[in-house]
Amino acid sequence: MQTNPRCRAARTLACALLAGCGQVALATRAAAADGPAGVAADAPDAMPGSVQGSVTRTDGDYLDGASVSIPAIDRTTTVDRSGRYRIGNLPAGTYDLVVRYVGLPDQRLSVTVGDGTVTQDVTVGGTIAGAPDSGGEIVVTGSRPIAESEAAALQIQRTSDSLVSVVASDSVGRLPDQNIAQAVSRLPGVAVQRDQGQARYINLRGAPINWTTLSFDGINVVSPEGRDARFDSIPSAIASQIIVRKAVTPDMTGETIAGNVDIITRSGFDYPGFKVQAKGGVGHVELGKKTEYEGSLVVSDRFDTGIGEFGLVSSASLYRRGMVTDNFETDWEAVGEDRRPGYQDRIWARETENKLYRLTRKNYALSTRLDWRPEGGASRLFAETIYSAFQDDELRNNYIFDLDDQQSRTPSGTAACTVSATPPAGTTGYADVCNGNTPLRGTVYGIDLNSNFTVRTYKQSVFTNTIGGDHELGDWTIAWRGNFTRSIDDRTQPAQLNYDSPGFGSNGASAGNRLTVGYDLSDPQLAQVALYRTVRNANGTFARGDRVIAIEDFPRTLSRLRSLKAKDVTKAYTAKLDVTRETTLGDLPVTFAAGLRYDDRTKISRDYLLELNSAAQFAAAGIPTGYSAIAIPGDFQGEIPLGYTFQYFGRDKILGLVDQARTVGRYTLVSDNFYDVEEKVYAGYAMATATLDWGSIVGGARVEHVRNISRANAAIGPVQVASDATLVYPSLHFNWNVNDRMKARLSFNTGAARPDYDQLRPNFAFNDANQTISGGNPDAKPEKARGADLYVEYYTMPRGFLSVGVFYKDVQDVLFDADRTFGSTLLNSGGVDRSQYTFSTILNGGDGSIYGIEAAIQQQLDPFVDDLGLPDWMGGFGVQLNATLNKSRSITPDGRRIRLPGTSDAVYNLIGYYEKYGFSARVSYQNRSPWLDAIGSFGPINGVDRGIDGGDFYWAKDDELDTSIRYAVTPNVEIYGDFANLLNGPGRRYVGTSRYTIEHETFGRRYTGGVRVTF
């Protein structure tokens, strides 16, 4: 029996790809049989024809991502964002050309190909709900923004050669979420971590945040914080699409493990002509009765000239909100002096506090892109600049009740005892069960009140600039990019003032000037304190005096004034070249791609500190030491029952004291925090995509050589450390079109997550009193991962979607923030041996893994209304549901088995919506189960190995409920309302078990309304 040449060629390519990825070896007999096919593919006149053109809807909008195919010879391509398509290497003949797009009827037409290029423009008609194909154009009636954005997202997802999820802005560019993290959080397998109630970091399928990379139009961008990409500094308004790539391909950077979030920015060629999109809104923040504002503007146009066509688009956006927070925090510890029976399971609150914020937060961005398509249309050049920023202007009153202030006085007896309400003379009752205290409820006498008042002007910004070109040279495509990005993490604190209580005195002789605190921490959702005068009895014991409500009634004195100017600056240069060739092996269409990339990144950290910390310095500067000098009138703006009243401070007053401090002090470099890290990455890849009658195969490998040079001021002086490594990342992807509606995907991929820049710094700072050392670890190795994904996707008509998949990743050298014995004589000096000090740094643990299942369903009722006998208006109801279930494990540097940091066991999103007659409404519920935030320090305490600070640190369950409504007054004008954080749930962290809360914050509901226009 004779073998079909097409099948032989397919086996040849599969063999090469599999071998390249090191997965399997196929029989050499199959490869040998395919030799003639390669020769035929290289014959110069074998397939000289091509067809190209544009694909639009009847309203003139481009159908980005539409599938254009010639079924007779199994050739398929997709329409680019400017509406263009091309199929090359076609033998002469007449073919049926089929255009498919989710939610629209197929468009079929005949095209005759000769030995040149045929131009065939296609107009696809029909409502986005999926009207039947009548053989001609069908006029679009009405706008269905949710339906259109769903269709656009599913179309890109369906035609992708790898596993992706997509957020597509709808016909008027309406994304109801202010930043990229919040917009992406609705997708399957995506969880977010929040700060002050605002989505900030992204966990893809439960993986740690440093496993996800960020890119703009395919160019990876270093976040202001480094490799932990922050997404709250990027407004969603700058994106035309957001593509979450979950399966790593060779053309993606190797430091991607979980996936990549690619922000596709707007281009002037995205629209047929002049277009304006604008939004403006104002809102109310419930907690603190604050106001928020949002606005965006996008203007785009294209111009025909004698040298080709130009496209220009500019955008601007702003989201600003005032807010306060209701907060309490508690730090826990295992107390060595507590030796009474049952101590093995006891941890005590060493301090409990309130951080009471007054904030103004802003996200803003500006962008401009210029595209040029010279005459002939075979090339396109562009230049783009984007500036986005997140700014947090913060005023913070911080009251710390230092419960373990006199821990060394705690009785250390080991026998059981009879409870007495009065503590022994000279002791405060801290960690003393004989006084009737428990870890969650009790009274501590004569302790210190630390009051910190901070002005913070925190700002993170990304300024990225790209030039590039795409050139079609027959069957060859050449794409090049050059990029410069500057990311700034400005951590400036213009003022921090610390006020302390009077001293304790010998055996508590001065404790009467301090406060006594009754604490009740039994409710994980509310830490309560009651403040009292301290009474010192004649025998040296303490008692509780009168209740005090106003915290200013307790004497406190200024002990330190600081002003910090701190900034981390990362500069990154990228050069990228990709070459693609479309050809055939036999009659098997194959696209070969290869590329080179060079990255040069430098991160520099500089801190400058002005500090006064003595009465003499305060007097010399004329700075009063009482709090009344900075206090302002006004009631507490939050709602949490504090148990006391306080006065806010005035920003101008506290900054005035800093100005006075500058008359006697100056800003000096904080040498312990000085470092710069250089990184150079030389990368290349090769991959091939074969299109078969049953689907496609994508495979290849990426090679990266990484060189790092780290410099810092260590305790012994300037230090420089250099390292380099070469890593290879193979991957292989199968995409099987089971039928017209079902698609199966199988992926094998690899990646690595390198330590962050500050973690590679070689500086060390030691504290002889505490016998501790802190610093970076330039010897830390990257986390290396191998993974597999198996997914099945089912596309129902017209826009329904169902998917289920399983995934697995195996990881080596998992990274942890951890403590260990320093183990080196490098810092020994002055006769002091510091080799046995506790060293806090980044460390590699053992191996780890994560596996799970992900499922999603999306469906509107519209297609079933007639069959179910329902009224037409009910067709507007729809749902989007997704869930991810995970299991993970990792081995810490000290050998313990725990979950991977950042991994929730369950993540799910439930979205219900209605869209009909110009009205739309959405309700979105998000939930993720608890996850590990950081590992704790473990060691022997009274002969028992346990958590020194209570154990490992976790985030509690996070759930969010948001809703939005829109009404199209005219085809060009829409009014909207967004209602966020309706559950007003807390951001809560705990240590060890859920009963021991370490942080609890609520932020209030937010309501915003406004108008959108487009024309």
Side-chain angles (χ1 to χ4, degrees):
M1 182 176 67
Q2 190 173 24
T3 304
N4 186 306
R6 181 178 180 82
C7 296
R8 293 202 309 270
R11 287 206 306 272
T12 303
L13 183 64
C15 175
L17 296 178
L18 287 166
C21 292
Q23 306 292 334
V24 297
L26 297 183
T28 57
R29 178 176 57 84
D34 293 335
V39 175
D42 292 337
D45 298 321
M47 293 185 177
S50 64
V51 59
Q52 66 181 26
S54 64
V55 178
T56 59
R57 266 188 7 205
T58 51
D59 59 2
D61 284 345
Y62 298 134
L63 284 182
D64 178 13
S67 169
V68 182
S69 64
I70 301 177
I73 54 174
D74 296 323
R75 299 297 304 278
T76 301
T77 190
T78 55
V79 175
D80 68 17
R81 58 191 297 183
S82 61
R84 296 161 57 87
Y85 76 94
R86 181 181 183 277
I87 302 177
N89 287 313
L90 296 176
T94 299
Y95 304 98
D96 282 340
L97 192 72
V98 181
V99 180
R100 290 190 172 95
Y101 190 87
V102 171
L104 291 174
D106 292 353
Q107 185 77 0
R108 295 176 179 269
L109 62 158
S110 178
V111 60
T112 300
V113 177
D115 58 358
T117 298
V118 176
T119 298
Q120 180 64 65
D121 296 332
V122 184
T123 300
V124 180
T127 65
I128 200 65
D133 184 6
S134 63
E137 287 190 1
I138 302 172
V139 177
V140 175
T141 57
S143 175
R144 303 286 297 276
I146 296 178
E148 291 170 11
S149 59
E150 282 184 349
L154 290 181
Q155 183 64 31
I156 295 169
Q157 177 178 308
R158 186 175 185 176
T159 57
S160 173
D161 285 322
S162 63
L163 183 63
V164 301
S165 295
V166 180
V167 176
S169 61
D170 56 34
S171 61
V172 288
R174 314 170 319 166
L175 289 174
D177 305 304
Q178 282 81 14
N179 69 55
I180 293 296
Q182 191 65 32
V184 170
S185 69
R186 320 291 183 187
L187 294 175
V190 176
V192 296
Q193 294 186 27
R194 305 177 194 274
D195 177 74
Q196 298 280 358
Q198 186 171 0
R200 171 168 291 180
Y201 301 108
I202 289 176
N203 302 88
L204 283 185
R205 295 191 295 194
I209 57 176
N210 62 310
W211 288 11
T212 300
T213 54
L214 165 67
S215 62
F216 286 90
D217 299 311
I219 297 291
N220 280 75
V221 173
V222 177
S223 173
E225 288 189 357
R227 302 199 204 278
D228 292 348
R230 275 188 59 165
F231 296 86
D232 59 346
S233 62
I234 308 170
S236 59
I238 70 172
S240 69
Q241 298 170 356
I242 308 169
I243 301 178
V244 179
R245 309 182 191 278
K246 299 177 182 177
V248 181
T249 53
D251 56 342
M252 296 168 58
T253 179
E255 59 185 324
T256 303
I257 293 182
N260 169 261
V261 178
D262 192 12
I263 300 167
I264 309 301
T265 59
R266 302 175 192 272
S267 165
F269 289 154
D270 290 349
Y271 313 105
F274 180 71
K275 193 173 186 72
V276 174
Q277 302 172 10
K279 177 181 78 170
V282 62
H284 173 72
V285 182
E286 193 175 68
L287 186 60
K289 298 177 176 58
K290 301 295 184 179
T291 303
E292 65 179 20
Y293 307 92
E294 63 177 356
S296 65
L297 175 67
V298 180
V299 181
S300 175
D301 204 358
R302 11 186 345 164
F303 312 92
D304 280 318
T305 69
I307 57 172
E309 186 179 19
F310 288 88
L312 179 65
V313 61
S314 293
S315 70
S317 66
L318 170 67
Y319 172 53
R320 179 187 185 276
R321 83 172 188 252
M323 57 185 295
V324 300
T325 59
D326 280 343
N327 163 282
F328 70 84
E329 300 184 17
T330 304
D331 292 339
W332 304 83
E333 63 180 350
V335 178
E337 290 80 4
D338 175 19
R339 303 185 180 207
R340 303 290 183 181
Y343 74 87
Q344 297 90 340
D345 298 319
R346 282 197 293 263
I347 61 172
W348 296 86
R350 64 181 182 87
E351 64 182 35
T352 187
E353 64 180 301
N354 294 106
K355 291 180 181 177
L356 305 171
Y357 297 88
R358 291 167 288 160
L359 303 170
T360 299
R361 285 197 158 183
K362 291 187 287 187
N363 295 77
Y364 53 95
L366 299 167
S367 69
T368 295
R369 176 172 171 140
L370 176 66
D371 289 82
W372 175 39
R373 183 179 291 138
E375 289 292 336
S379 296
R380 186 180 71 169
L381 304 173
F382 74 92
E384 180 177 48
T385 182
I386 301 171
Y387 178 80
S388 66
F390 167 87
Q391 186 170 325
D392 189 351
D393 294 320
E394 173 186 308
L395 306 177
R396 183 175 72 196
N397 287 55
N398 189 14
Y399 299 103
I400 303 173
F401 306 100
D402 192 2
L403 303 180
D404 73 343
D405 176 48
Q406 301 296 315
Q407 178 180 327
S408 62
R409 301 175 182 273
T410 300
S412 56
T414 59
C417 58
T418 301
V419 173
S420 171
T422 303
T427 68
T428 65
Y430 177 69
D432 187 0
V433 295
C434 297
N435 186 42
N437 286 342
T438 71
L440 298 178
R441 189 181 287 114
T443 303
V444 183
Y445 303 86
I447 66 169
D448 187 19
L449 169 63
N450 298 322
S451 304
N452 302 332
F453 307 101
T454 304
V455 177
R456 193 176 182 215
T457 56
Y458 179 76
K459 182 179 179 180
Q460 289 196 337
S461 62
V462 176
F463 180 47
T464 183
N465 305 270
T466 306
I467 59 172
D470 299 298
H471 310 278
E472 297 177 4
L473 306 174
D475 297 327
W476 294 83
T477 299
I478 298 175
W480 58 272
R481 302 288 187 269
N483 175 270
F484 167 71
T485 297
R486 183 179 70 239
S487 299
I488 298 177
D489 184 7
D490 190 335
R491 300 173 282 104
T492 294
Q493 292 186 2
Q496 180 182 337
L497 274 63
N498 299 84
Y499 294 78
D500 290 333
S501 300
F504 188 75
S506 176
N507 291 318
S510 303
N513 291 323
R514 293 175 152 221
L515 71 165
T516 288
V517 174
Y519 64 91
D520 184 352
L521 312 176
S522 58
D523 183 354
Q525 306 296 332
L526 178 63
Q528 295 181 298
V529 295
L531 311 183
Y532 302 89
R533 300 286 182 190
T534 300
V535 176
R536 188 173 187 268
N537 300 314
N539 62 358
T541 61
F542 295 116
R544 196 170 72 183
D546 294 335
R547 176 82 181 265
V548 177
I549 300 300
I551 205 166
E552 274 77 22
D553 288 351
F554 292 102
R556 293 163 295 161
T557 302
L558 180 65
S559 61
R560 183 174 67 176
L561 180 151
R562 308 180 82 196
S563 180
L564 177 68
K565 297 179 179 179
K567 186 180 293 186
D568 300 342
V569 179
T570 305
K571 295 182 179 180
Y573 300 86
T574 298
K576 185 171 179 281
L577 175 67
D578 297 279
V579 179
T580 303
R581 169 71 192 280
E582 294 182 0
T583 185
T584 58
L585 293 178
D587 57 356
L588 175 68
V590 180
T591 300
F592 290 101
L596 299 172
R597 175 170 168 152
Y598 171 71
D599 289 286
D600 186 342
R601 303 165 180 165
T602 302
K603 183 168 187 173
I604 299 174
S605 180
R606 300 288 188 271
D607 292 5
Y608 295 90
L609 179 66
L610 166 68
E611 180 172 2
L612 305 184
N613 53 25
S614 71
Q617 290 175 314
F618 299 143
I623 296 175
T625 58
Y627 181 67
S628 60
I630 60 173
I632 60 174
D635 296 330
F636 175 44
Q637 298 177 18
E639 298 176 357
I640 189 173
L642 294 175
Y644 58 89
T645 63
F646 70 96
Q647 286 183 287
Y648 287 113
F649 65 87
R651 179 188 179 97
D652 292 341
K653 288 187 175 185
I654 200 171
L655 293 180
L657 296 187
V658 173
D659 289 339
Q660 291 178 239
R662 295 177 65 180
T663 64
V664 298
R666 63 187 181 87
Y667 290 92
T668 59
L669 178 68
V670 182
S671 58
D672 288 348
N673 294 336
F674 160 88
Y675 69 86
D676 68 75
V677 178
E678 296 181 11
E679 179 179 73
K680 299 182 188 296
V681 182
Y682 307 85
Y685 75 91
M687 60 184 287
T689 302
T691 303
L692 303 101
D693 52 4
W694 51 265
S696 65
I697 304 174
V698 182
R702 185 180 188 88
V703 180
E704 291 189 349
H705 180 73
V706 184
R707 297 176 59 188
N708 286 102
I709 300 177
S710 306
R711 305 178 187 87
N713 283 337
I716 58 174
V719 175
Q720 176 173 306
V721 177
S723 64
D724 62 81
T726 301
L727 298 172
V728 181
Y729 306 104
S731 64
L732 181 64
H733 309 263
F734 296 92
N735 303 284
W736 179 28
N737 298 320
V738 181
N739 54 45
D740 286 345
R741 296 188 177 185
M742 183 180 293
K743 193 162 195 168
R745 301 182 188 272
L746 174 63
S747 169
F748 303 95
N749 51 77
T750 57
R754 298 193 289 273
D756 213 337
Y757 301 104
D758 61 331
Q759 296 169 340
L760 292 171
R761 72 190 192 277
N763 74 332
F764 307 103
F766 58 80
N767 185 312
D768 287 329
N770 296 332
Q771 295 190 341
T772 59
I773 299 171
S774 61
N777 180 9
D779 294 325
K781 296 179 289 186
E783 300 171 298
K784 296 180 287 294
R786 299 172 297 180
D789 307 285
L790 176 60
Y791 276 67
V792 176
E793 302 168 352
Y794 185 74
Y795 298 84
T796 63
M797 293 300 292
R799 290 180 327 282
F801 173 68
L802 171 67
S803 75
V804 62
V806 294
F807 55 88
Y808 173 82
K809 288 192 184 296
D810 176 78
V811 190
Q812 296 177 338
D813 302 319
V814 178
L815 288 165
F816 294 93
D817 291 318
D819 297 335
R820 66 173 174 86
T821 301
F822 188 57
S824 171
T825 60
L826 180 66
L827 299 182
N828 291 357
S829 63
V832 179
D833 180 8
R834 300 184 177 94
S835 62
Q836 298 305 303
Y837 282 13
T838 298
F839 179 36
S840 299
T841 186
I842 185 78
L843 294 175
N844 290 107
D847 295 343
S849 66
I850 181 172
Y851 62 92
I853 182 170
E854 177 186 306
I857 185 171
Q858 176 177 308
Q859 186 62 63
Q860 194 171 30
L861 192 58
D862 210 27
F864 311 106
V865 166
D866 291 340
D867 292 341
L868 297 175
L870 300 175
D872 181 69
W873 64 268
M874 292 192 67
F877 287 104
V879 295
Q880 298 171 344
L881 314 174
N882 60 76
T884 305
L885 303 178
N886 292 312
K887 284 291 183 181
S888 70
R889 65 164 186 86
S890 62
I891 299 177
T892 66
D894 60 3
R896 294 185 299 118
R897 296 174 66 92
I898 62 171
R899 289 188 291 181
L900 275 171
T903 305
S904 292
D905 289 343
V907 178
Y908 56 90
N909 295 288
L910 311 176
I911 300 174
Y913 65 87
Y914 182 84
E915 182 179 49
K916 203 85 168 176
Y917 315 117
F919 173 80
S920 65
R922 294 185 244 205
V923 178
S924 173
Y925 175 73
Q926 300 174 298
N927 186 295
R928 66 176 301 191
S929 62
W931 67 96
L932 177 69
D933 183 43
I935 61 173
S937 299
F938 284 74
I941 299 177
N942 294 335
V944 178
D945 190 66
R946 56 192 183 126
I948 295 171
D949 297 314
D952 295 322
F953 300 91
Y954 295 86
W955 279 100
K957 178 190 76 171
D958 178 37
D959 58 351
E960 299 281 332
L961 179 66
D962 304 321
T963 187
S964 60
I965 58 174
R966 280 100 173 92
Y967 180 70
V969 181
T970 74
N972 303 105
V973 179
E974 176 190 74
I975 56 175
Y976 71 92
D978 291 329
F979 312 94
N981 193 34
L982 294 180
L983 298 179
N984 194 27
R988 188 173 78 91
R989 293 190 300 145
Y990 61 87
V991 63
T993 65
S994 185
R995 68 188 299 192
Y996 297 114
T997 297
I998 58 175
E999 181 180 11
H1000 186 290
E1001 289 184 313
T1002 53
F1003 320 99
R1005 300 171 182 86
R1006 306 193 308 275
Y1007 315 102
T1008 305
V1011 61
R1012 287 183 172 91
V1013 297
T1014 180
F1015 57 87

